[in-house]
Amino acid sequence: MSRSNSRSRAPAVEIEADVTDLGHDGRGVARIDGKAVFVAGALEGERVRLRIRQRHRHFDEAEVVEVLSPSPHRVEPKCPHFGQCGGCSLQHLDAAAQIAAKQRVLADNFARIGKVEPAQWLPPLVDEPWGYRRKGRLSVRSVAKKGRVLVGFREEANPRYVADIRHCDVLHPALGSKIELIGDLVSAMDAAADIPQIEFAAGDDTVALVFRHMQPLSERDREALTAFGQAHGFAIYLQPGGVSSVHPLWPEAPRLAFKLSPGGGAQDVELEFQPLDFVQVNAGMNRRMMARAMELLDPQPTDRVLDLFCGLGNFTLPIARRVAEVAGVEGEHGLVARAADNARRNGIANAGFHVANLFEDQRGAEWARQPWDKLLLDPPRAGADQVLAYLPHKATRRIVYVSCHPASLARDAGILVNQHGFRLSAAGVMDMFPHTAHVESIAVFER
């Protein structure tokens, strides 16, 4: 007996429909015969002619053929590749409406998942919406039919393919204008078919490109990469294997670093990092987020603060400038080592760092048994529910939670309010990824 597939290719039938909502991934939502249809390129309030791309058991996926009645918030996308490239999903929606949509997503998750509502909505944090992306991964694919190598993000309609783009307006300006040149560079290399991706990372003064290569590079290729780095001001790294195999090709010892100025002057902190380390994608928003986190945490000279999922010390070290003691906890050994090095370089002696998998029970660890006045959390998408099984202690009176996923924040907010007796005193969104549906947010909880 065969089992029918719940997903199938749909015939190219065009249908008119009203778009009644904007989905959490940036696609418009329509209902046809009672079934949800997610429509790429459509906005809430529009009437469109759509084409079904793929049918599923409980929903269908479609694309806009024609906008019959446009939203008043529809704008002309800046990028000519919008709609083909999957790197952005909201360039056709004006900036204010993008922020409002993200705020609605956060509010909906709080109400639906956490069953909580903040006492105060914080004004959204925004920064420069173009040229903001300092960290990411570009896909690379040699396409024989086009006679060249494509470098960019995956296609919106078919993520198996790399979008054919020539530049990118959201990338760091030193990189975004050179996408086509990088494609030409790889096209001319002996290893053109053996480079699947290029990671990029920008510090304040240096932009690094990390070329992943599946086979050893010829001397000719190494010379070409070096010459490209010299000509365009990029630090070039090679990655022949896993993360630990990354090493510089040119210059011999590049330095990646960025400054944070939480209080200005003597309170400046500079963080050095490696090109594959996690850093906040948006440098301008990171500075604004830091200022807001400090305002909400309200660090005092006598406070002892615990920073969980601390990474390189992005929050830990600025906090250390203002409190008696701070401890940062992170699961990746390399990040913890570099955080400790950053503390030493900045002359900070009251910050300690610990390696611990925060998705496992750590209640026996010394740092977990100590009383902390305040807590800062910046977890990955999975959130912090494992940590919240044993923290915070009764001595903790304030928690600042930085989130990259509204559903996990909402779940954890419910835990803090309903199980630990905290009040969700304020929350709001931060536009860390303009022109995308990604929702970054921050919340503060008080006893």
Side-chain angles (χ1 to χ4, degrees), residues 33 42 69 88 93 137 152 187 207 209 241-242 264 294 314 348 368 377 401 424 430:
D33 297 330
S69 177
C88 296
L93 184 62
R137 174 183 295 169
S187 291
V207 178
L209 301 180
M294 288 294 189
N314 188 61
I348 293 172
L377 297 160
Y401 192 130
L424 175 55
M430 304 180 290

Side-chain angles (χ1 to χ4, degrees), residues 134-136 199-202 208 210 237 243-244 246 256-258 271-281 311-313 330 332-339 341-342 345:
R134 67 172 171 183
K135 187 82 168 64
E199 305 251 4
F200 62 91
V210 183
Y237 288 75
V243 172
S244 62
V246 174
L256 289 168
F258 61 90
L271 301 183
E272 286 192 8
F273 65 101
Q274 293 299 309
L276 297 193
D277 284 346
F278 172 80
V279 296
Q280 295 291 348
V281 160
L312 290 163
E330 166 64 43
E332 188 177 327
H333 287 75
L335 287 176
V336 171
R338 284 186 281 284
D341 288 343
N342 281 324
R345 269 192 295 271

Side-chain angles (χ1 to χ4, degrees), residues 16-219:
E16 288 189 16
D18 293 315
V19 181
T20 58
D21 199 1
L22 191 67
H24 291 186
D25 61 359
R27 293 184 292 179
V29 183
R31 288 200 170 269
I32 299 175
D33 297 330
K35 190 178 186 182
V37 181
F38 295 95
V39 190
L43 296 174
E44 182 180 0
E46 294 186 330
R47 184 163 182 82
V48 301
R49 181 177 293 112
L50 59 85
R51 180 184 298 117
I52 302 291
R53 285 178 181 168
Q54 216 156 43
R55 296 193 183 277
H56 303 259
R57 182 169 298 165
H58 301 296
F59 65 92
D60 292 335
E61 296 178 272
E63 63 187 350
V64 166
V65 176
E66 182 183 359
V67 178
L68 303 173
S69 177
S71 163
H73 301 295
R74 178 175 283 274
V75 295
E76 187 66 25
K78 180 177 181 178
C79 178
H81 308 300
F82 178 75
Q84 177 204 10
C85 174
C88 296
S89 59
L90 292 176
Q91 278 195 31
H92 58 323
L93 184 62
D94 71 52
Q98 287 186 32
I99 295 297
K102 295 179 183 187
Q103 192 92 348
R104 287 197 303 272
V105 169
L106 181 59
D108 174 67
N109 277 271
F110 275 142
R112 183 170 48 85
I113 298 172
K115 305 293 190 291
V116 295
E117 182 179 354
Q120 174 194 356
W121 282 106
L122 299 168
L125 281 185
V126 297
D127 199 70
E128 171 57 49
W130 303 106
Y132 68 84
R133 185 156 192 158
R134 67 172 171 183
K135 187 82 168 64
R137 174 183 295 169
L138 298 170
S139 296
V140 180
R141 186 163 184 168
S142 179
V143 181
K145 288 184 179 179
K146 293 181 179 285
R148 61 191 182 87
V149 168
L150 302 184
V151 176
F153 297 106
R154 297 287 175 168
E155 287 188 358
E156 187 276 325
N158 195 337
R160 292 180 301 169
Y161 299 112
V162 178
D164 188 355
I165 67 175
R166 307 303 173 106
H167 73 278
C168 179
D169 290 311
V170 301
L171 298 186
H172 188 286
L175 177 61
S177 61
K178 296 184 173 66
I179 297 296
E180 187 172 11
L181 290 178
I182 295 172
D184 293 342
L185 165 70
V186 179
S187 291
M189 291 173 60
D190 298 327
D194 297 314
I195 297 177
Q197 67 189 41
I198 301 168
E199 305 251 4
F200 62 91
D204 288 345
D205 303 313
T206 305
V207 178
L209 301 180
V210 183
F211 288 79
R212 175 79 171 98
H213 54 98
M214 310 304 288
Q215 301 293 334
L217 296 182
S218 66
E219 189 57 34

